Amino acid sequence: MEDITTLDNRLSIEKSSPGRRALKFKGRLKHSAPPIPENLRRKTAPRLAELSEFDVVRHFTRLSKINFSLDSHFYPLGSCTMKYNPRVNEDIAALDGFTGLHPMAPDEAAQGTLECLYNLQTLLCELCGMEAITLQPAAGAHGEFAGLMAAKAYFAHKNQKDRVEVIVPDSAHGTNPASAAMLGFSSINIDSGPDGRVDLEVLKRHLGPKTAVVMLTIPNTLGIFESGIETISKMVHEAGALVYMDGANFNAMIGMIKPGELGVDIMHLNMHKTFSTPHGGGGPGAGAIAVKKYLDAYLPVPVIKKEGNRYCADFNRPLSIGKVKAFFGNTGVLLKAYAYLLMHSPRELGEISENAIINANYAKALLKDYYPSHSKDHCMHECVLAPSPEMMAKEITTLDVAKRLLDYGFHAPTIYFPHIAHEAIMIEPTETETRETVEEFASAMKKISAEALNNPQKLKDAPQTMPVKRLDEVQAARQPNLRW
Amino acid sequence: MFIGNTKKDREEMLKTIGVNSFKDLVKQVPEKFLYPEFKLPQEGLDEMQTASAMRELAARNKQLKSFVGAGAYERYIPAALKALLSRGEFLTAYTPYQPEASQGILQTIYEYQSSMAALYEMDYGNASMYDGASSFAEAVRSAVRITGRKKVLIAQSVHPQYLQTLKTYFPPGEDYKFVQIPHKDGCLDLEKLEGLLDRETACAALQSPNFFGLAEDFSKVSALTKAKGALFVAAADPVSLALFTAPGAQGADFAVGEGQGLGLPLNYGGPYLGIFTCKKEYLRQMPGRLAGMTKDKNGKRGFVLTLQAREQHIRRDKASSNICSNEALCALGATIYLALLGPGGLKELAQANFDAAHAAAERLCSIKGVSLKFKGPFFNEFTLALPCAAKELRSRLIEKENIDPGLPLKDFYPELGETLLVCATETKTEKDIARLEKAVREATA
Amino acid sequence: MPKPEEARYTKTHEWIALEGDQSLVGVSDHAQHEMGDVVFVELPKMNQKLEKDKPCTVVESVKSAFDIYAPVAGEVSAVNAAVTGDPAIINQSPLEKGWLFKMKAANPEDLKTLMDWNAYQEFIKQGVH
C-alpha cells in the first residue's frame, strides 16, 4: 500500500513536466557570429527537472521541513560546536558591496573587503597568541592540510627532509591522519593514557629525528585539557619538531587561553565552529591557519597586508607553499566571523568559553547516575558519556539512545567518537543554550535510560516520529543508488 | 552577546556540578595560561553598530561594471533562490549524519549529485568539494592513485590558479612530474599531447572553455589517453554545458568544474562549489561525501550518506581525501538554481551569455588595433589583443569610468603580449557593452 | 573447501587452508560477526606479492573498513570474484563460498606457525582482539 507521504517523497525530476518553466531570460543581444560548430555542440539536453517556480519553492520548502536544524532543535553534537548563528551576520555578508566583488578585482576596488579580512587576521592572531595567519583554506581539514604543508616546506627549507613522521594520538579527528597522509607523511598513531591525555612516556618513545609534527587536539576529543602541554611542547621542540594544534575545540579556550602561549607552532581554526558561522547542512566553512613567525613565509598566498592606509593581497612570497584553492578563501564566511568578533570584547569572548564549559559540566553532572562519564575530571566544553552497564546489559547501544533522542525532539550527540571511548556519547551544548535546554535534554536522556531498562524494544524501534524509520544502510552501500 | 544563561543560572549550575566557582572547573589548565592579556579593543559593538560599521566597509568596495570572468562569473541570482537558501532549516542544519532527522538535506544532495551527473554526462557526482580548483586537484590525485603513475600532463590553457592549486595538492619531495601541454592558437595542441603521453602518464588534465575562453574539441583525447593506460580529467564550466559538448560525451574519466556560476554570488572568491563527477568504475576512488537512496524498515523511500568507508572519519590515513566540511549549502543553491531553470532555462541562460560575449567582442574588435587574439569558438569570454598596455588601460577605466574592462593576461602568459580576458554574462546589457566600447575606444585612441 | 577445523588462523582473524599447492585465505566466522554486514570487498591483484602480516586487501562494512593481513608470505594466485559481486557471501559463508583469494605460500611450512582451530577458539575466548 502506498501512502500519502510516499507520494510526497517524490524527487524534483518525478514532479517534472515537459515544457514547464520557471526562470526565463528574454534579453538577446545581436551579433553576427556563426553558430557553434557541430563538433562542439551538445547533442542531448541534460535530464533536469522542468518545474514552475511555485513547484520549486514548494518542493524545497517541504524538504526544509523534514530536516532538523539548529534553529529548530538542540544539537548537542560534540566536536561540532553547534552554537547559534546570529542573523545579523547573514545580513552583513549578504550586502551587495561584499557579494558583488569579483575575486580578480584589483586591490583598489576591494578596499572594504580587504580591510575586513586584514582586521580579522589581526584579531585571530591575537586571540590565538600567534604571529601570522592565512584565511585561505575553505574548511578545517583544508587548513590542516595547508598547515602541515607549511611545516613540510619549513623543514625542507631547513634541509631536514628526513622529518617524515607526524605523530597523532588515537583520540584525534580522522582528518588529522588523513591530512598527514595526503602530504606523504607517515602518520604514527600513539595510544592515549587512560584519561585520554597524551602519555608522555609513549610520546617520548616515538619522538625523534624523523618527527616533523605532533598533532594535538586541545582540549582533546574527550573534552579534557592537555594539562601537560607545556612539557609536551618542550619535548617536541627539543626533538626539533613542531606542535600542531587542531583548533576544532577552540570554543573551550577563546578569550581565556592563548594556544601560542602553550607552545603551539601551527593551528587551524574553524569559522563554522567557534566563530558562529552556520554549517549549512555540511558546509561551507572556512579555515584559518595561524602560525608563529618562523612559519609565516610558508603560508599559502595571498596574505592580506596593510601598507600605509592601503590594504593589499600579497602574492609575492617566494617561500610560500602556493595556493590551496583558486582565488581568495571563503570570504563570505569570513565576513560573518568578523562581524561576530566585532560584537565581542575580550572579556565577552572569555564568557563564551566559560559558559560553554559550565553547560557541558552541567549536562555531565545531571546525567552522572545514568550515563557514566569516560573521565573522572571535570570536562572543558564537551563531555564523553556512555550508556550505563544496566542499559548495556539489555543490549542497548549508543546508536539506540541516539535514535530515541530524535523522538524526544533532540538531535543526537556525536556518537562512537572518539574511537578510544567505548560506546561514546559526546555532548557539547555550547554557550548559546540555556540551562533549561540542557535540563530538558538531560531529562529526555534519563527517560530513555528508564525505557532502556523497562522496554528496550522502544529504543530498538526508534525513531518512531521521524519522516522515515531506520534506513537500510547496508542496501545503500551494497547497491549504491546515487542519482536519478 | 549570545549567551543564554544569567549570572544566577551559572551560580546554581556550578552548585549542581559541585564546585564553588568557575575557577574550580578549569583546574586542569595550568593557572599561568588562564586569562592572558589581549591587545584588542576593550569594548564590543552592539548589533546596530556592527551592522553600520560593516555597511560602511561594504561601501568601500568599488561598485564597478565588471567584465572580468576568469573562472568566476557574475550571475543574476533569482529571488526564489535567495529566499529558499536563507531558510534557517537549511542554513543552520548540520551534516546529515542522523539520516532520519536529515531527509531534507540528504534528498537535496541526491538531487544535486543527479543534476551534476546529468549536466556533465558522467555516471556519478559527489556531494561537493571546496571549489573548482580543489576539485581539479583531487581528480588528478584520484588518477594518480588509480594508475599508480606519477607523471601528469596539464594543458597550458588551464586556469593558472587551478594549476597552482594542483601542484600544492601533491607533496613536494616525491617525484611527481607535471608537464605542460602547449597550446596552439589558444587550444590544446593534440600532436604535442600525443607526443607527451607515455606509459608513465597518469592523466591528461584539460579544461574547456579554457582560461582563454575558448571551447575546445576533446573528442580525440580519450582514445589517446586510453592507448597509454592513462586517464582523462576534464574541467568544464557548468553553464557552458547547456550549449557545448559535455566531458562525459568526450570520454572523460573524471569531470570537474567550478559551480559558482550556478546561482552563487562572486563573494571575492568564496564560498564556491567544487563539482566532482566520475565514471562508474572510479566511484570508490571518488573523494568526499555521497548520498544514496534506500528504503526504511517499512519499505519507504529514504536517503542516507553512503560508501562512507572511503572517507577520513573511518579510513583515516588511508582515506581517499581528508575532506570533511564541504560546500553543502552552495550545492543546494546550485540544485535550486537548476530546478528553477530546467534544461530550457539553462540553455536560454547559456545562449544569453554567448550572445552578450559575442556582441561585446564584435563591438570591441571594431576599434582600431583591437582584435581577437585567438580564432577559435568561445562561450562567454574571449582574449583581446590590445594596441596599448593592458594593465594601464584597466587602471584608467576603473578609475575614470567605473568599468573593469577585463583581466590583463601578461602576468600569467607574458608571451601573449598586451591582452585582456574579457567576459560578458547575461547580466550585461546593450548599454553596458556600448559603454565599454566607448571607454576602450577613447583609451586606445 | 577446507573444514574450519583444518584451517589455520591469525591473531587478526584471517584463516588460511592448504588446497593442493595453493592456500585459500578468508576471514573467520568470528571476524565476519564483528564486522557486521559486509558491503564491499577490495581484492588483491593477481600475482601480487604478499608479505606476512602486511595489509593486502580491505573489507568494508557500512561504518568501518577492515584491513586483511596476509597470513604468510607468498603470491596471489587467484581471487574470488563472487565476493566482489555479492559481498554478503562473506557473512553467509565465511569459510567456504566467502574465501577471498588463493595464494602460493613462499614456504608452506609457515602455515604451521599459525594457530590451529583449538588455539584460535581459546584466543577468541580470551577476548584478545
Side-chain angles (χ1 to χ4, degrees), chain A residues 23-244:
Chain A
L23 212 62
K24 294 189 173 77
F25 296 91
K26 293 184 176 171
R28 287 287 304 265
L29 298 188
K30 289 192 184 62
H31 57 85
S32 55
I36 297 166
E38 179 64 21
N39 63 325
L40 292 176
R41 210 180 308 145
R42 185 173 183 127
K43 303 295 179 308
T44 46
R47 191 165 165 252
L48 301 169
E50 297 182 65
L51 304 164
S52 72
E53 181 168 327
F54 195 8
D55 283 339
V56 175
V57 169
R58 193 169 274 168
H59 179 72
F60 287 99
T61 301
R62 195 193 73 82
L63 288 180
S64 80
K65 292 190 164 191
I66 53 169
N67 210 84
F68 274 27
S69 69
L70 193 51
D71 277 359
S72 53
H73 296 83
F74 175 40
Y75 273 62
L77 274 170
S79 245
C80 301
T81 313
M82 297 297 285
K83 62 165 75 175
Y84 171 63
N85 311 129
R87 280 309 189 276
V88 64
N89 296 350
E90 301 303 314
D91 273 11
I92 286 167
L95 291 168
D96 290 341
F98 289 133
T99 58
L101 185 63
H102 193 281
M104 293 280 204
D107 292 345
E108 60 261 37
Q111 286 299 298
T113 295
L114 290 174
E115 184 174 341
C116 292
L117 296 172
Y118 178 82
N119 290 345
L120 179 60
Q121 287 182 174
T122 313
L123 282 168
L124 293 175
C125 264
E126 178 60 16
L127 285 172
C128 294
M130 303 299 267
E131 292 156 327
I133 192 165
T134 174
L135 303 174
Q136 192 176 62
H142 207 210
E144 278 176 33
F145 169 78
L148 286 178
M149 174 73 96
K152 190 155 188 160
Y154 166 78
F155 286 121
H157 192 66
K158 287 183 40 169
N159 239 334
Q160 299 185 19
K161 288 184 183 163
D162 37 357
R163 292 195 180 268
V164 292
E165 292 177 355
V166 170
I167 296 179
V168 183
D170 53 5
S171 59
H173 296 113
T175 51
N176 292 181
S179 302
M182 263 178 97
L183 287 164
F185 284 117
S186 53
S187 77
I188 310 287
N189 196 47
I190 58 165
D191 293 338
S192 310
D195 56 357
R197 292 191 174 97
V198 171
D199 185 325
L200 296 185
E201 283 308 307
V202 177
L203 177 65
K204 200 185 217 162
R205 268 209 305 282
H206 287 92
L207 272 175
K210 284 179 131 183
T211 314
V213 175
V214 176
M215 289 182 95
L216 299 172
T217 304
I218 308 177
N220 67 24
T221 56
L222 289 163
I224 303 295
F225 191 81
E226 203 61 72
S227 308
I229 182 64
E230 208 179 1
T231 318
I232 295 172
S233 298
K234 211 169 145 228
M235 282 165 65
V236 175
H237 291 149
E238 274 169 10
L242 298 171
V243 178
Y244 183 105

Side-chain angles (χ1 to χ4, degrees), chain B residues 276-334:
Chain B
F276 194 107
T277 64
C278 70
K279 271 190 184 160
K280 219 174 20 238
E281 51 265 50
Y282 305 122
L283 175 59
R284 294 261 161 193
Q285 293 299 329
M286 185 144 69
R289 273 177 211 141
L290 285 166
M293 188 192 279
T294 184
K295 291 194 162 70
D296 77 357
K297 285 208 260 197
N298 299 340
K300 186 178 167 186
R301 174 190 278 179
F303 300 86
V304 293
L305 289 180
T306 190
L307 305 190
Q308 292 186 75
R310 301 165 299 117
E311 291 183 69
Q312 49 77 25
H313 62 283
I314 292 173
R315 202 60 82 83
R316 297 173 82 86
D317 57 336
K318 293 197 185 99
S320 51
S321 165
N322 72 339
I323 190 166
C324 182
S325 281
N326 57 19
E327 309 294 296
L329 196 70
C330 304
L332 171 62

